[in-house]
Amino acid sequence: FLAGLADILPERPKAILMISAHWERLRPAVSAPPANETIHDFGGFPDQLYAIQYPAPGAPETATKAAALLEQAGIAVKRSATRGLDHGAWVPLHLMYPHADIPVVQISLVRAASAAAHQKIGNALAELREEGVLIVGSGSLTHNLYEFRGHSIDAEVPSWVSDFDAWMKIRLENNQQESLLDYRTQAPHAARNHPTEEHLMPLFVAMGAAGAWCGSVW
């Protein structure tokens, strides 16, 4: 899906803004390096993964605009001149745009902040879409590594995963944002799918940036 996604988007983006589950701070941080280092922030995998590089150029103008929009919305923001792209950013981008020729900026999640707080961040960034910036939330719809380990790659999907997936799918397709923001109490097996919430929070930033487009078919 990711390898074919660029072909179905309306146009080639001028820049990409990534929100990854693998960068959390106490308040939003915006990366603005002149060139993006490829961060291999994982361990115990085959050497081929550590050899992958994704040298996308930085997007300092987009980073400056993103920080300004957050501040205008009353959201304090930090800036990082050295932060590169973690694997939550470069893995999907390596599939979508393998030539690494589109400028990329990352924005961090806010540690322990709510889904609504992350949606507010997305709301503030929505204007960037009108300037040709592709906003991508990179996480995982389910992320319980404790229960994932030990199963074969073709193991049957457990019901606590498929039930949560179905609940989320229906509400995303029908733009039921209030229910989605309250997923922790309304969705079946929410805490089991997300013992910690950072892998679902990028969705709410993207949802906020999408605005009225959330749930629509492009």
Side-chain angles (χ1 to χ4, degrees):
F1 171 79
L2 287 170
L5 181 56
D7 294 331
I8 65 173
L9 293 176
E11 58 186 20
R12 178 181 168 87
K14 295 178 181 177
I16 299 171
L17 188 152
M18 294 293 302
I19 306 97
S20 162
H22 294 276
W23 190 22
E24 292 183 280
R25 289 293 181 265
L26 294 178
R27 64 184 185 187
V30 179
S31 69
N36 280 303
E37 173 192 1
T38 304
I39 303 173
H40 298 90
D41 52 336
F42 43 74
F45 291 92
D47 291 342
Q48 292 92 327
L49 274 177
Y50 301 95
I52 295 175
Q53 296 292 318
Y54 193 79
E61 291 184 5
T62 301
T64 298
K65 181 63 179 291
L69 289 171
L70 290 170
E71 289 170 342
Q72 288 169 19
I75 302 171
V77 61
K78 288 190 172 184
R79 296 163 175 80
S80 173
T82 59
R83 170 77 184 189
L85 301 177
D86 60 57
H87 78 272
W90 63 259
V91 167
L93 290 179
H94 189 273
L95 293 167
M96 292 173 64
Y97 297 103
H99 299 297
D101 55 354
I102 299 176
V104 181
V105 58
Q106 267 198 253
I107 288 186
S108 74
L109 298 175
V110 180
R111 187 175 292 120
S114 67
H118 283 97
Q119 184 190 41
K120 182 179 178 182
I121 292 172
N123 291 154
L125 298 170
E127 184 179 322
L128 293 173
R129 293 174 46 241
E130 307 304 321
E131 300 177 8
V133 177
L134 175 64
I135 300 174
V136 180
S138 172
S140 185
L141 191 63
T142 182
H143 194 266
N144 186 330
L145 295 183
Y146 300 104
E147 298 210 39
F148 172 78
R149 293 188 176 100
H151 294 279
S152 65
I153 194 67
D154 58 351
E156 184 178 352
V157 177
S159 60
W160 58 268
V161 171
S162 57
D163 289 351
F164 180 79
D165 174 84
W167 189 94
M168 293 291 292
K169 183 175 186 291
I170 289 171
R171 281 148 187 84
L172 284 166
E173 290 180 342
N174 291 282
N175 198 17
Q176 296 176 14
Q177 296 194 27
E178 290 187 9
S179 293
L180 288 163
L181 292 173
D182 192 35
Y183 88 96
R184 200 74 176 171
T185 56
Q186 295 190 31
H189 314 294
R192 193 173 183 183
N193 280 274
H194 291 279
T196 58
E197 294 189 89
E198 75 285 340
H199 273 78
L200 197 60
M201 290 301 107
L203 169 67
F204 297 109
V205 181
M207 192 171 80
W213 284 101
C214 183
S216 300
V217 178
W218 284 76

